[in-house]
Amino acid sequence: MRLALIQTHLPETAGKMLDKTASVTAGRMAALGGGLTVDRRCPHDTRALAACLSAVSAEKDVDLIAVAGASAIVDRGDVIPAAITRAGGRVDHLGMPVDPGNLILLGELAGRVVLGLPGCARSPAINGFDWVLDRLCAGLAVGGADLMAMGVGGLLKDTTARTQPRMAAVTHPSPAAPPRLGALVLAAGLSRRMGGVNKLLLDWRGKPLVAHAVDTVLAAGPAAVAVVIGHQGKAVRAALEGRAIALVENPDPGRGLGSSLKRGLAALPADLDGVIVCLGDMPGLTPRLLSRLIAAFAPLEGRAICLPTFGGRRGNPVLFAARFLPEMMEITGDIGARPVIAAHPDQTCEVAMDALAEGASVLMDVDTPEAAKALLSAGG
């Protein structure tokens, strides 16, 4: 069997990760007596990917098409399924009850099977993609019912390919339990660019901006919420009165986001599986945006850092698996957690928010008087 691999990328996507994925995929095909005959890359955009799919489907030396996206496939509105449809193909099935490998797509284009790959397919470790590829390379048809049946009994629960049995390696949470997540809201900044006005206390739609951010986080249902306050802390504390949160004082907010991260993370419970780090000046965020981010979170599948994108640009908030918290506690200065994200590209999942009406809000914070004026005139 001859496989065509298409990888989509965003401006921040590391080229070495794309090269590694191509190498791993070529190895998979070689082990099955086939080959990787086409290796294409294009922007993570519906129109660009549709054009690439059309071109690849017209090539003669292609039996299967696989698409590894820069962002996870969460629903049919995402780039990969939308591009398959735009290119004239169809999406037959989304999802597979197998871990790792559940975010897989099965479709058809020009008489060829098209697979939207889960993030774990970038790794040589066995995952749900291998079981689908094995069948296809053996000439067996694969449909939605086949993908659903593969989950019966936990197909990948403890295969011989695992170097350590999962139940011995992971004791919390149980495989069936949802992740236990906390949230950290950073609200200690000096608002230097606002000309002396504390942006977090600006009234918008009847309450301060910081209250909007905290209420959105609370509505997403985290196990615990910590809010770091500093500049005009007494007034910010009063704006958040009555909410089920832990208020943490940063006595020296001028040292930057790193100092607030350290204090806020230390105030959260130690048994969390991950933490959502939010900014206090993003009033446009909604619980639906946070839920979409949480839905993509799957550390065992390589989605241990989940961040939102809109129009190909990365935004906030960001969800980090607990194993990265010690690194975050060491951050200094005012650059936030960017070094942690940059150090783990293979564990980072970009979750596109373009399909949501409020998706652009992941890029919008209130840092300047102009931004505040635009926000208040639009809905205040």
Side-chain angles (χ1 to χ4, degrees), residues 181-222:
L181 301 178
L184 173 59
V185 181
L186 302 176
L190 301 178
S191 298
R192 289 190 179 97
R193 297 167 61 189
M194 287 293 293
V197 175
N198 189 338
K199 58 187 177 181
L200 299 178
L201 298 175
L202 291 174
D203 185 272
W204 185 61
R205 296 180 178 175
K207 59 184 179 183
L209 294 190
V210 67
H212 282 279
V214 171
D215 288 346
T216 295
V217 168
L218 286 169

Side-chain angles (χ1 to χ4, degrees), residues 86-99:
R86 186 183 183 94
R90 69 173 188 269
V91 175
D92 294 323
H93 191 83
L94 284 176
M96 181 179 182
V98 171
D99 173 31

Side-chain angles (χ1 to χ4, degrees), residues 1-379:
M1 299 291 280
R2 299 163 297 180
L3 178 73
L5 175 66
I6 302 174
Q7 297 187 73
T8 68
H9 56 79
L10 292 167
E12 302 87 354
T13 304
K16 63 180 181 181
M17 183 178 73
L18 302 179
D19 294 339
K20 175 186 174 183
T21 302
S23 175
V24 166
T25 305
R28 276 193 165 94
M29 292 303 298
L32 296 172
L36 178 63
T37 54
V38 176
D39 179 10
R40 297 282 179 87
R41 299 165 190 188
C42 71
H44 189 68
D45 171 80
T46 300
R47 189 183 298 272
L49 178 55
C52 192
L53 281 165
S54 296
V56 167
S57 67
E59 299 202 17
K60 295 180 179 179
D61 60 343
V62 172
D63 301 307
L64 304 171
I65 301 173
V67 184
S71 178
I73 305 171
V74 179
D75 56 43
R76 290 176 181 265
D78 288 324
V79 167
I80 293 176
I84 292 171
T85 303
R86 186 183 183 94
R90 69 173 188 269
V91 175
D92 294 323
H93 191 83
L94 284 176
M96 181 179 182
V98 171
D99 173 31
N102 65 300
L103 294 184
I104 197 168
L105 175 151
L106 180 65
E108 184 273 339
L109 176 64
R112 296 177 177 88
V113 171
V114 181
L115 296 173
L117 302 187
C120 56
R122 298 186 184 278
S123 165
I126 192 169
N127 60 77
F129 169 51
D130 288 288
W131 296 98
V132 176
L133 190 63
D134 286 353
R135 291 177 64 95
L136 292 172
C137 286
L140 301 175
V142 177
D146 299 302
L147 296 188
M148 290 186 283
M150 286 182 179
V152 177
L155 184 64
L156 297 185
K157 185 175 181 181
D158 275 322
T159 69
T160 56
R162 290 190 183 278
T163 56
Q164 183 179 23
R166 174 172 297 170
M167 292 308 295
V170 182
T171 58
H172 180 80
S174 66
R180 178 175 160 82
L181 301 178
L184 173 59
V185 181
L186 302 176
L190 301 178
S191 298
R192 289 190 179 97
R193 297 167 61 189
M194 287 293 293
V197 175
N198 189 338
K199 58 187 177 181
L200 299 178
L201 298 175
L202 291 174
D203 185 272
W204 185 61
R205 296 180 178 175
K207 59 184 179 183
L209 294 190
V210 67
H212 282 279
V214 171
D215 288 346
T216 295
V217 168
L218 286 169
V225 177
V227 181
V228 182
I229 61 176
H231 178 55
Q232 298 183 354
K234 186 175 180 179
V236 176
R237 183 184 294 271
L240 299 175
E241 188 176 1
R243 291 169 172 82
I245 57 177
L247 286 167
V248 185
E249 191 84 29
N250 182 353
D252 190 8
R255 294 177 59 192
L257 287 175
S259 63
S260 290
L261 276 171
K262 184 174 298 186
R263 292 179 179 275
L265 292 173
L268 289 169
D271 62 344
L272 296 174
D273 298 305
V275 175
I276 308 168
V277 179
C278 309
L279 304 179
D281 62 343
M282 300 183 72
L285 295 180
T286 65
R288 185 166 64 159
L289 285 166
L290 294 182
S291 295
R292 187 174 173 86
L293 199 66
I294 292 169
F297 182 67
L300 290 176
E301 287 207 31
R303 301 195 302 279
I305 301 175
C306 295
L307 52 85
T309 66
F310 186 84
R313 295 171 57 197
R314 290 180 170 181
N316 284 292
V318 181
L319 171 53
F320 295 89
R323 68 173 180 263
F324 300 116
L325 301 189
E327 291 181 52
M328 296 168 68
M329 294 282 282
E330 299 298 321
I331 292 173
T332 59
D334 203 33
I335 58 175
R338 287 200 296 270
V340 177
I341 298 172
H344 302 282
D346 58 327
Q347 296 294 312
T348 299
C349 169
E350 294 173 328
V351 184
M353 299 295 180
D354 303 66
L356 301 184
E358 70 272 33
S361 65
V362 301
L363 305 178
M364 298 177 183
D365 53 9
V366 183
D367 275 342
T368 64
E370 292 76 20
K373 182 177 179 180
L375 175 71
L376 296 177
S377 62

